[in-house]
Amino acid sequence: MHIDSAAAETAPGTEFQGPPLSDRSWLRRIDVAIGYLVEIPAALLVVAEIVVLFTGVISRYVLHQPLVWSDELASFLFLWLAMLGAVVAFRRSEHMRMTAIVSMTGPRTRAFLETVALVAGLIFVALMLHPAYEFAAEEVFVQTPALEISNAWRAFALPIGLGLMLLIAVIRLLETADWRLTVGALILGLAIAGGLVALHPVLAGLGNLNLLLFFVLGVGALVLSGVPIAFAFGLSTFAYVTLTTQAPSMVVAGRMDEGMSHLILLAVPLFVFLGLLIEMTGMAKAMVGFLATLLGHVRGGLHYVLVGAMYLVSGISGSKAADMAAVAPVLFPEMKARGAKEGDLVALLAATGAQTETIPPSIVLITVGSVTGVSITALFTGGLLPGLVLAVALCGLVWWRYRGEDLSHVRRASAGEIGKTFMIAIPAIALPFVVRFAVVEGIATATEVSTIGIVYAALAGLLIYRQFDWRRLFPMLVTTAALSGAILLIIGAATGMAWALTQSGFSESLAVVMKSLPGGTIGFLLVSAVAFIVLGSVLEGIPAIVLFGPLLFPIARAVGVHEVHYAMVVVLAMGVGLFAPPFGVGYYAACAISRIHPDTGIRPIVGYILALLLGLLVVILAPWISIGFL
């Protein structure tokens, strides 16, 4: 899993990290050329989205002359950003994967599974290329209302992006050092595809048993073997639709377009970029520095600082990877110098990642609002206290573990030092409040508000902290596009799968089962929490939310659970699964960012996971925590 890609800034031409590559320089040159061809426009699209949305805010709120075309243009560019970002992520091998099992295999098996993952991606994009072209061609007859241009200019992002991924996949297979790996993976993929086609008459008569075959066994096998989640979802959905239904394959492309085109999801790349920006400008360091002088002399003080810093930083960036990358390098050296064990550090970092999943502007909350129709403003308001409850639970365990810490060698900061660091940190601490104020007061929408944060952070870095490395700007923009493309391709593929599940009648069957659970609303919430812990560990949060959010939120309303309360429960439960080993990929991201071996944190994290579960139970039993301020 490459969740830590938000923390890594790389220049164009970054090499693929997958199966062993041979030294074919002419292929490398083509690959590098594609890197520049894709990464430069992807970075420019991120800048264009920031400019368009911020201009819309200024025009509407300051000049009182709304631009009727700003949202339409932003949506128009957004699909191109998503697809080019997905191409960048594919080229860098940064699409989200579950690699826990792959990493436990031997070098030969691991290389073969890496090649299988690449072949699976190649098969998916090859299968989808023609349906995507058909879909885009149909959009020629649709005209945008404000810009009055053909919607095909937007829709052709799908086949062009898929075509570029196909070209990159072919180059990667030609580069593979051991041709037997490539041949073996291709034979395996074609044999499975041929077998399914041969069984078409049998599959057509199985009815809803096909759901088990394609969406449980099929997706499970692909995900556990290391195939990127987006391609696992896409392959299973394409096979299900074409082999077991009368729907044309173009429907899959249409559902992908629908899932990736919600304007509210534009907040994803913008908040990812904002997270990278606050780290680059030194704002995150200023906040952490203030907390460290305030609590550094207390037993376990820097651990409290880690919990608090993650809470504050999460209120700005929305990206867990960006949060961890901003906080860990600042705190960990001093914590190690005070005798903290590496395993406990990475365990607490991972636990705070789960704790802060509901802190606005959480990307997962934005996704919830996009797929369920729940108000983003209500979700942002409701997410503050649940995260605080889990923070208190973690701090309680920190107090217990470090109640005997020797601090005789630690100097307590003076009032003057605390005041000085506070003054330095004020602009950084103010940013979450600026972002929230802009949304609540109607200055900007949940999508647009990220641009206000970006402009604020850039000005603070240039004028106040005097820390703005222009050389890092382009790599940050490319990283933003890559991570966003990986996330949005998952959302697109998961939207297609959710459509297939709904059309099959599965949603009605699920509703009947969930409504009949014993224990009423509490029983429903407890079962949902357990389900999303499991889903979070295997599928990650965003695909789990996109798949099951539209199915379960209406059921929650039917059994009397407030939709915001339900969102907090499932998002926190998903976060626990995401950051809990052995399958939780967020845990391995925390290890990668902190450069600590995963084995060292396995035992210490058990206590933190139990603390998180205790906090989650409190949130379940006390709905006011989630909805008291709505």
Side-chain angles (χ1 to χ4, degrees), residues 94-117:
E94 290 179 353
H95 277 285
M96 298 178 182
R97 309 165 56 198
M98 209 283 279
T99 56
I101 292 178
V102 175
S103 63
M104 293 188 290
T105 61
R108 182 73 179 173
T109 303
R110 189 180 307 125
F112 177 70
L113 290 176
E114 294 285 357
T115 309
V116 166

Side-chain angles (χ1 to χ4, degrees), residues 292-630:
T293 56
L294 189 65
L295 298 172
H297 62 283
V298 179
R299 288 188 175 92
L302 292 184
H303 293 73
Y304 298 135
V305 171
L306 177 58
V307 175
M310 285 292 287
Y311 189 96
L312 284 176
V313 173
S314 290
I316 301 174
S317 74
S319 166
K320 291 291 136 323
D323 300 343
M324 293 189 291
V327 172
V330 179
L331 280 177
F332 277 18
E334 179 62 24
M335 295 171 81
K336 290 177 183 178
R338 295 191 181 190
K341 296 180 180 178
E342 286 190 340
D344 192 58
L345 293 182
V346 75
L348 182 57
L349 181 64
T352 57
Q355 163 227 326
T356 54
E357 284 285 19
T358 64
I359 309 300
S362 163
I363 289 174
V364 180
L365 287 185
I366 293 169
T367 307
V368 169
S370 172
V371 301
T372 66
V374 181
S375 164
I376 299 290
T377 303
L379 290 170
F380 280 8
T381 302
L384 292 168
L385 277 185
L388 189 60
V389 169
L390 266 63
V392 170
L394 291 176
C395 288
L397 183 57
V398 167
W399 172 83
W400 175 259
R401 286 185 170 178
Y402 287 89
R403 64 192 186 280
E405 184 182 14
D406 179 17
L407 294 179
S408 58
H409 61 291
V410 176
R411 185 182 69 84
R412 180 170 184 165
S414 66
E417 289 172 323
I418 295 173
K420 181 180 179 181
T421 57
F422 175 66
M423 293 300 294
I424 294 173
I426 283 178
I429 295 174
L431 181 51
F433 299 97
V434 170
V435 169
R436 175 170 165 71
F437 177 81
V439 174
V440 173
E441 295 300 317
I443 298 173
T445 65
T447 304
E448 296 169 334
V449 73
S450 52
T451 63
I452 295 177
I454 289 169
V455 172
Y456 180 101
L459 291 175
L462 288 168
L463 305 177
I464 300 174
Y465 295 105
R466 304 294 178 90
Q467 188 174 326
F468 198 97
D469 189 346
W470 291 96
R471 293 170 299 180
R472 293 178 59 186
L473 198 55
F474 178 73
M476 284 166 53
L477 290 167
V478 175
T479 295
T480 298
L483 181 59
S484 303
I487 292 172
L488 292 165
L489 191 63
I490 284 179
I491 292 175
T495 301
M497 189 188 296
W499 175 86
L501 289 171
T502 302
Q503 295 301 308
S504 70
F506 172 77
S507 56
E508 289 81 2
S509 303
L510 179 65
V512 171
V513 172
M514 296 296 282
K515 286 179 182 178
S516 63
L517 290 171
T521 58
I522 298 299
F524 174 75
L525 288 170
L526 290 173
V527 170
S528 296
V530 172
F532 273 90
I533 288 172
V534 175
L535 290 169
S537 66
V538 178
L539 294 181
E540 301 186 55
I542 288 175
I545 289 294
V546 176
L547 270 179
F548 293 99
L551 303 179
L552 292 176
F553 272 74
I555 303 173
R557 286 191 289 268
V559 299
V561 179
H562 195 288
E563 55 194 7
V564 173
H565 181 212
Y566 190 62
M568 298 308 128
V569 171
V570 298
V571 168
L572 288 176
M574 174 276 302
V576 173
L578 177 63
F579 285 91
F583 295 117
V585 292
Y587 171 73
Y588 299 102
C591 294
I593 288 169
S594 55
R595 293 179 173 82
I596 295 174
H597 195 279
D599 291 349
T600 61
I602 296 293
R603 290 185 65 183
I605 202 173
V606 172
Y608 291 121
I609 294 297
L610 291 175
L612 291 173
L613 292 174
L614 178 62
L616 175 59
L617 182 61
V618 172
V619 172
I620 289 173
L621 296 177
W624 183 89
I625 293 172
S626 302
I627 62 177
F629 290 102
L630 298 183

